[in-house]
Amino acid sequence: MKDLKFEQKRSLSRLEAADQLSALAEALRQGGEAELELGSGTLSMRIPEELRSEVEFEVGDGEIELEIEFTWPTRRVRKAAPRPPEAESGEKAVAKPARSRKSTAARPAPKAAGGAGKTKRAASKSA
């Protein structure tokens, strides 16, 4: 049994459908507590940082159906901080004195494989 269900079926113009999707996109972008104007009412919900999605496209019986579905848990899910190995084995952690480090300049992260990570020199050779 569902805790709560809201379903609305109505005819929309293409622009009204686009406005509805834009409002949903903005709510997803903002996250947290979101309110969507849907027809004669307002739908309020909490949108977490991560969610699951499903896109379904069907053609049949003279109609095209496009469904976009997002799901997430009703309770806030907290990620537990990783525990040090000593905590799992029952041993006590012993604080070690801090060692001084020399500061070093940060190196840029390696580029991902593929065409997106070309350097200027490599890009100019291929142009």
Side-chain angles (χ1 to χ4, degrees):
M1 180 175 189
K2 304 263 184 203
D3 291 334
L4 174 68
K5 183 175 181 173
F6 172 87
E7 188 170 347
Q8 182 182 64
K9 293 182 181 187
R10 63 185 179 123
S11 293
L12 301 171
S13 70
R14 189 178 69 232
L15 291 176
E16 288 171 323
D19 288 344
Q20 202 171 57
L21 287 172
S22 293
L24 176 59
E26 186 58 31
L28 288 169
R29 211 172 268 111
Q30 297 290 323
E33 298 298 322
E35 290 188 350
L36 293 173
E37 299 293 326
L38 296 174
S40 60
T42 302
L43 178 63
S44 299
M45 65 186 135
R46 178 192 58 83
I47 301 176
E49 284 297 314
E50 292 190 22
L51 37 90
R52 293 179 305 279
S53 73
E54 179 181 335
V55 176
E56 188 176 318
F57 182 80
E58 291 182 33
V59 178
D61 296 329
E63 285 190 331
I64 295 175
E65 182 177 331
L66 171 64
E67 289 184 28
I68 303 170
E69 181 176 297
F70 297 107
T71 56
W72 59 89
T74 55
R75 287 186 239 151
R76 294 177 192 254
V77 178
R78 292 185 184 176
K79 292 183 180 177
R83 294 176 47 174
E86 302 88 31
E88 292 174 6
S89 65
E91 297 177 19
K92 291 185 181 179
V94 178
K96 295 182 181 177
R99 292 186 285 179
S100 62
R101 292 184 172 185
K102 294 181 183 177
S103 63
T104 58
R107 292 184 178 162
K111 301 284 184 180
K118 291 184 179 178
T119 62
K120 287 182 181 179
R121 189 173 72 217
S124 63
K125 285 182 181 179
S126 63

